[in-house]
Structures are given as structure tokens and as C-alpha cells.
Amino acid sequence: MTETLVLQAHDELSAGLAAAHSEVRLASPYMGAGVLARLAQLAKASSATWRVLTKLDAAAIAHGSLSTQGLRQLLAAGVELRSLSQLHAKVFLGDDAFGLIGSANLTDAGLGGTGGKSNVELGVLLDGTQQQEASKHFDGWWGSASIVTEADIDGVEKLAKNLPTSVSAPVVDAEPPQFLEEANRLLAEARSANLWIKAVYQDEAAADLAWGAGAWFSSSKRGRPSFQVGDLVLIYAKDAHRCSAVVEVTDSPRRDPAFVVSDGRPEEEGERWPWVNDVTVRLKVPSAVGVPLSHLGFTGQSLQGGHKRLGHSEFALAVRYLAATPAGDATS
């Protein structure tokens, strides 16, 4: 057989797993929120039994390489989840008809094809005999692995918040990541701060201009929001479908519709979004090169209420993504 090489596995993996009717088996030590959210949806709609093997590792969670939000979504979708401490293999199998192995983890950067930054990866589609052999190996690993429960995820997430983590400068002679020092400060502060994601309902240009001196955001009339001084908030520019800034809340929410209108907003907007928080911008890039919302496991619909709590691993992923923005695209 002539081996079929795959540079970006997103499309092949999605199609192969969607076609499975009996059993899906996936092994990957690192798994991102966006990929896991899509896999959970596939699993819910599937007649197949789904088994996912990973490495439940506090350092990977702290780094943003393993999404606790996504792991919980898998369990909620009825997926069997286990952890193997020495796992490094990336194996994706659907029935006896689809098999893929390679270098890519179950992350958006690894699989590619999702509108964000992609790693350089290489995978191989397996023939029938190879699929059977890979299945035997998977089943052996599965038998040695430990069952993962919600309580296990809660426990390792608490450990992750106490681990030091940082964005590293390259070891070769190359440009360091943008905002390196500020990104590392944010990652350190995130261990003890409340973390949120907040939608701003402005066009892309207006959203980019808004995050300067005197920055603020407003929240729905449905009730006083729970933001506290010191909370860190990832800003989602709705029209760009990307998250482009991290801000820190600097005061308690105040009900001030007149202030919203004084900024040039329509009067009805002041009544609809009357709760105001002043913030200071900690990290910002143009919304066009921000983190795709899908990478964080959210949809625009999931943020219709305006804001949601954000997990530590998803916040770390977003900060690392923004810090790695090319110099020509960054805004200080």
C-alpha cells in the first residue's frame, strides 16, 4: 500500500469519526478546548461507543495544553475517559474503516484547518491491517489506564493553579514572543484571580479603538454582574469572532446607563447594558489576529448573556496565543 500522508488532519479526522457507528478510540496527551467541544458534539450525535485516552497532567493544564472545560464536556456527552501517565502517542480510530496516527495532538494548532495558527505536523492514514494493530495497542493502553471522573478533573485543576508557568522566549536567534513579560505576569496572577470571557457588541474597528485609556465595558440589565476588582477578563470582539484583549477590572459594577449613552451609544443601549465596570488593558492585539472563539470551546451563542466564567487552562491558552502574535500585527 502507498501510505497517505496528512499535513492538516482536521477534515480527515472529523469525517472519519462522524462516519463511525460502532467504536471511536482516541489517544492524545494534549487536547484543546475547541477540539474537545466539537468532539463532544460528535459523540452526542453518534451511535458509536467513544473512548478517549489522555494524560491527566496538572502541568499541561496550567500551560493551557489540556482543557479541563473540554474534558468535562466529553464526560457530559457520555464519553469514557481514562488517563495514562506515560502517554505520548496520538492515535485516532473510527470503527475498522478509519485510522490516523501522527505528530498532531487533539488541539486546533495540531489539527489545523480552523482559522488560527497551525503547527507543522505530519500524519499517516492507516490501512485495514494497520488499523487492527493500532486498535490492539490502544486496548492494551486502555486496560492499564485509570478512569477519569469529574472529581479527578477538579483535583488536578486545583493542582494546576498552584504550578508556576510562563511563556518562554525562543532558544534560537529569533524574535521573542510579543508581550512576553506581561503575558507571564498574567499567567502568574491567573492562579488566584477570577477569570472571565466577555463579549463586546461593536464592529471590529470600534472594538480595537475602545481598549485604550479609560477603558470600560457594560453588562446586561438582568442583574448586577459578579465582576470584582482584580478579575481578569478576556475580551471577545463579536463581529470579528476572535478574542483580542485581556483587561483587569478596576472597580465594582455600577448601574450607570447615562454613562453608556454619553460615550455615543444609543439610549436604548444604555438601558439594555447599564452595568458599567472600569478596566485597565493588560494585553491587546488587533481583533483580526486574536484568538478564534472556537479555539476556547465557546460559540457566539454561548456568550449571548454577555459573559461567562473562563477556566484556567483556557485562559492560559488564550494568553499564550495572544503573546505569540507576530510583531507586525501587535498593538502595544
Side-chain angles (χ1 to χ4, degrees), residues 50-75:
W50 282 57
R51 292 189 286 163
V52 174
L53 184 62
T54 190
K55 179 182 176 182
L56 195 59
D57 178 62
I61 293 169
H63 186 273
S65 302
L66 180 63
S67 168
T68 52
Q69 170 185 288
L71 294 178
R72 293 187 178 99
Q73 288 175 313
L74 289 183
L75 289 178

Side-chain angles (χ1 to χ4, degrees), residues 165-185:
T165 184
S166 64
V167 177
S168 300
V171 295
V172 297
D173 185 16
E175 286 291 321
Q178 290 295 310
F179 318 117
L180 180 64
E181 293 184 2
E182 184 63 11
N184 286 330
R185 280 192 288 267

Side-chain angles (χ1 to χ4, degrees), residues 233-254:
V233 185
L234 180 66
I235 298 299
Y236 165 55
K238 180 176 179 291
D239 288 346
H241 305 292
R242 290 175 180 255
C243 303
S244 54
V246 176
V247 302
E248 179 182 344
V249 175
T250 57
D251 74 342
S252 299
R254 66 181 188 275

Side-chain angles (χ1 to χ4, degrees), residues 34 46 48 59 80 99 101 110 118 129 166 172 186 229 259 288 291-292 320-321 326 330:
S46 175
E80 296 180 57
I101 63 172
S118 297
T129 300
S166 64
V172 297
L186 285 169
V229 174
F259 177 85
V291 189
R320 291 176 184 282
Y321 191 109

